Amino acid sequence: MKIDDLIKETSEWLKGTGPDSDIVISSRIRLARNIGGLHFVDWSDDETKQKVVDVTKRAILASNYMKDALYVEMDKIPVVDRQFLMERHLISREHAIDPEFKTTFVGDKEIISIMVNEEDHLRLQVIESGFLLDEAWHIMEGLEKDLEQRLNFAFSDEWGYLTACPTNAGSGLRASAMVHLPAIVITRQVDGLIHAISKLGLTVRGFFGEGTEATGNFFQISNQVTLGRREEDVIDSLKRVIRQVIAQEKTARAFLKDKRKDIIEDRISRARATLEAAHIITSKEAIGLFSLVRLGIDLGLIKNIDTKKLNELFVFIQPAHLQKLEGKKLSTVERDIKRTELIRNKLKIS
Amino acid sequence: MKIDDLIKETSEWLKGTGPDSDIVISSRIRLARNIGGLHFVDWSDDETKQKVVDVTKRAILASNYMKDALYVEMDKIPVVDRQFLMERHLISREHAIDPEFKTTFVGDKEIISIMVNEEDHLRLQVIESGFLLDEAWHIMEGLEKDLEQRLNFAFSDEWGYLTACPTNAGSGLRASAMVHLPAIVITRQVDGLIHAISKLGLTVRGFFGEGTEATGNFFQISNQVTLGRREEDVIDSLKRVIRQVIAQEKTARAFLKDKRKDIIEDRISRARATLEAAHIITSKEAIGLFSLVRLGIDLGLIKNIDTKKLNELFVFIQPAHLQKLEGKKLSTVERDIKRTELIRNKLKIS
């Protein structure tokens, strides 16, 4: 598989399928692992880093889970491709910015991806579309067991799996769900919700993960601490919170549809019209408008837009995607113009 | 003629015809006159006010200029009709708010209108579409001469025609033009322009005259002082300024079309789409969007909208017009909804 093959398909997590996919866009499980007897990445010399690259490559490509996986040495690919992988949520911003001795593996349908020499030697990720945390965890368990047969993971009886950052120690697990909460935002309940979630030891972040604002009413909710907790408990407590969030969003949507129909129809109709009419648009504005159009589809107010195509747009309007689609470098202004062409094309009344 | 007949037609000044009508919406001449031997309105008792009403009614309806004119006693018509006359720029806000002993005359095509017992006994107004200050003045001269044969206007050799407010004394003339300056606003030259115009002894006001903000890039430019100046000189100096403003707006439009095409197409296209898509809209937002659509028509970027229908909308979306069209009282929210139906209807691709 090559990077350029990825753009032909939509990542599995963007397909808009799976349970509760009108609110839960995707479910993600991440595990951090390190190779025993080798320094953590930040303390490693080049030789050790290269050793990690070599050892993990053999082990991962030998795994049944990663047959025919895309394998990328980050310093061998152009900047636009690194950004492209980031836009697809396959790698982190850090992994894209400083590519030396870093590699990436992407499995079938982009459900599994693995970063080598990011903060830890290995960062394993499983993303599924919709509210499927158990299934994602099930895949992750299998993958991790499989790799553990081929790699010696750093483990202490006292601390569990060892990780570069103590907050990840123990299971090294981060579970998260990306949720779309337009009605909670419009009815101004979102600050209260974020506050309540934080009190439960969970974190709420924006569309692009750590350190990013919530864009277009999309939020990533994830567990904070893993030390001393069983994986299943971490996932269960996240699931309970997500179920409450789903219920709250549904109530808010029903309220908007029943009691604020004119206002919500107005907003949705304007959003759609603006997407169709704009000649220049930033990613940020576009995502905000997509959010309203998606709400319109979910409320049954918009019928002739294909949800799958709309979902694709979230990723395809990003800078690197636009440039790969065009096959050349584009300035910011050129992207802001090209973006509107792509949007008009995808949202064409079907 | 009845008030309800007016709504069937568009006021002459809104027809979008006349010279330079892409920038100069309308040209207006106003004269203030008072009846000799009677106190000014503010110092009058009811008997005197009634006398002014009676005397002027006889004189005006006898004039050839005002044959078949609409004659209205302001305290005999409902609030919505008073507001309706104001929205058509036939009377002032003051004339609508306090209707006692006030009357209004409206001539053919609404070119001439006369307020009795507003600030002065008589306020004569002539409005024409486009840049036609000379023609408007020509009509006004004829009307005034005609009325002077039947009415004894208060006049002093020292001061000229006497008026309640000294700034109107002398000729009692106010000449103004309503100009549409979207390109000057978008290119951020408007503050400088207003400052320059003020230094020339002229005044710049919003769409609804005295004390109103500029709405949707429409500005009324008028002379300030009349004492000691010949009518023709007042009009000439206003004409000179308007010609400069037209030139500046044309330069700014050419700049936008040549150098900022993407940005201006984006704004205009979004404005039109929003007008077509909105389910709720305020007058103020609508007028701002009409302004951009009008610019789009003037720049040749929008071809299938009828300028006359667009011009009508400026007045027809106002609260009293909407309520008269619907034939009933509407709440603010109901108006904001009805307004969008009217807009969609009028802007339907022809």
Side-chain angles (χ1 to χ4, degrees), chain B residues 199-213:
Chain B
K199 282 198 157 179
L200 295 169
L202 298 172
T203 306
V204 183
R205 298 200 181 90
F207 190 59
F208 292 106
E210 213 144 345
T212 68
E213 275 179 271

Side-chain angles (χ1 to χ4, degrees), chain A residues 21-91:
Chain A
S21 62
D22 56 337
I23 294 171
V24 185
I25 308 299
S26 60
S27 300
R28 191 171 74 122
I29 301 285
R30 198 205 63 195
L31 276 188
R33 290 291 182 268
N34 288 277
I35 313 293
L38 297 176
H39 283 302
F40 289 140
V41 182
D42 275 356
W43 287 266
S44 288
D45 54 18
D46 290 354
E47 204 185 326
T48 310
K49 287 179 184 168
Q50 186 58 50
K51 193 168 180 193
V52 171
V53 166
D54 296 338
V55 167
T56 54
K57 180 179 178 185
R58 272 196 303 277
I60 292 168
L61 291 179
S63 160
N64 264 331
Y65 283 84
M66 297 301 274
K67 265 199 303 200
D68 307 320
L70 169 70
Y71 169 67
V72 181
E73 297 176 20
M74 296 305 286
D75 57 358
K76 299 250 170 71
I77 61 173
V79 173
V80 67
D81 281 0
R82 301 206 291 267
Q83 202 182 338
F84 172 81
L85 293 173
M86 192 181 90
E87 290 173 0
R88 288 180 96 84
H89 293 205
L90 294 168
I91 64 169

Side-chain angles (χ1 to χ4, degrees), chain B residues 100-113:
Chain B
E100 267 206 327
F101 298 106
K102 288 186 168 68
T103 61
T104 302
F105 300 80
V106 180
D108 190 34
K109 295 182 193 165
E110 303 170 43
I111 294 174
I112 298 176
S113 63

Side-chain angles (χ1 to χ4, degrees), chain A residues 262-266 269-270 273-274 276-282 285 289 333 337 340 344, chain B residues 262-266 269-270 273-274 276-282 285 289 333 337 340 344:
Chain A
D262 288 321
I263 292 170
I264 203 66
E265 277 189 338
D266 180 61
S269 172
R270 284 167 179 250
T274 302
E276 286 168 350
H279 287 240
I280 299 177
I281 202 166
T282 62
E285 184 191 359
L289 297 172
V333 174
I337 294 169
T340 66
R344 261 195 296 278
Chain B
D262 288 321
I263 292 170
I264 202 68
E265 277 188 339
D266 181 60
S269 172
R270 284 167 179 249
T274 302
E276 286 168 350
H279 287 240
I280 300 177
I281 202 165
T282 62
E285 185 190 1
L289 297 172
V333 174
I337 294 169
T340 65
R344 263 196 296 278

Side-chain angles (χ1 to χ4, degrees), chain A residues 130-329:
Chain A
F131 191 21
L132 280 178
L133 282 164
D134 287 331
E135 285 73 2
W137 170 241
H138 180 73
I139 294 170
M140 182 58 92
E141 258 193 310
L143 171 69
E144 197 262 357
K145 292 254 169 329
D146 194 61
L147 294 180
E148 198 158 30
Q149 291 174 7
R150 302 163 216 274
L151 291 168
N152 167 33
F153 290 149
F155 185 85
S156 115
D157 287 337
E158 190 181 353
W159 295 102
Y161 290 101
L162 299 177
T163 53
C165 176
T167 57
N168 294 318
S171 64
L173 175 83
R174 179 149 293 169
S176 68
M178 174 127 68
V179 288
H180 182 222
L181 308 177
I184 286 176
V185 172
I186 291 170
T187 55
R188 298 182 188 186
Q189 302 176 62
V190 75
D191 290 340
L193 179 71
I194 290 176
H195 186 71
I197 290 175
S198 310
K199 282 199 156 179
L200 295 168
L202 298 173
T203 306
V204 183
R205 297 200 183 90
F207 189 60
F208 292 105
E210 213 144 346
T212 68
E213 276 178 88
T215 308
N217 311 319
F218 293 92
F219 300 88
Q220 254 183 46
I221 302 176
S222 60
N223 67 308
Q224 186 71 274
V225 178
T226 58
L227 190 60
R229 299 183 66 193
R230 285 181 56 240
E231 289 86 338
E232 285 79 1
D233 292 344
V234 168
I235 291 168
D236 278 349
S237 67
L238 179 63
K239 275 166 60 186
R240 268 195 305 278
V241 170
I242 300 294
R243 270 197 290 266
Q244 281 174 22
V245 169
I246 292 171
Q248 190 176 342
E249 172 66 16
K250 281 190 171 160
T251 305
R253 288 184 184 187
F255 169 80
L256 289 177
K257 197 173 176 184
D258 295 346
K259 309 282 184 196
R260 296 287 182 275
K261 189 137 193 263
D262 288 321
I263 292 170
I264 203 66
E265 277 189 338
D266 180 61
R267 287 234 216 167
I268 290 168
S269 172
R270 284 167 179 250
R272 184 196 184 151
T274 302
L275 285 171
E276 286 168 350
H279 287 240
I280 299 177
I281 202 166
T282 62
S283 310
K284 192 172 174 180
E285 184 191 359
I287 289 178
L289 297 172
F290 293 158
S291 164
L292 286 167
V293 168
R294 218 193 127 121
L295 178 63
I297 295 170
D298 292 342
L299 293 181
L301 298 173
I302 292 181
K303 297 202 196 295
N304 48 9
I305 283 184
D306 183 340
T307 317
K308 185 167 169 278
K309 286 192 179 163
L310 180 66
N311 285 342
E312 280 177 18
L313 279 174
F314 283 98
V315 168
F316 277 79
I317 59 156
Q318 306 295 332
H321 273 75
L322 278 179
Q323 294 179 85
K324 285 188 75 71
L325 284 174
E326 285 295 310
K328 63 176 180 192
K329 202 167 160 50

Side-chain angles (χ1 to χ4, degrees), chain B residues 1-6 68-71 106-110:
Chain B
M1 193 158 60
K2 289 178 186 166
I3 288 187
D4 288 354
D5 295 335
L6 297 181
D68 307 320
L70 170 71
Y71 169 66
V106 180
D108 190 34
K109 295 182 193 165
E110 303 170 43

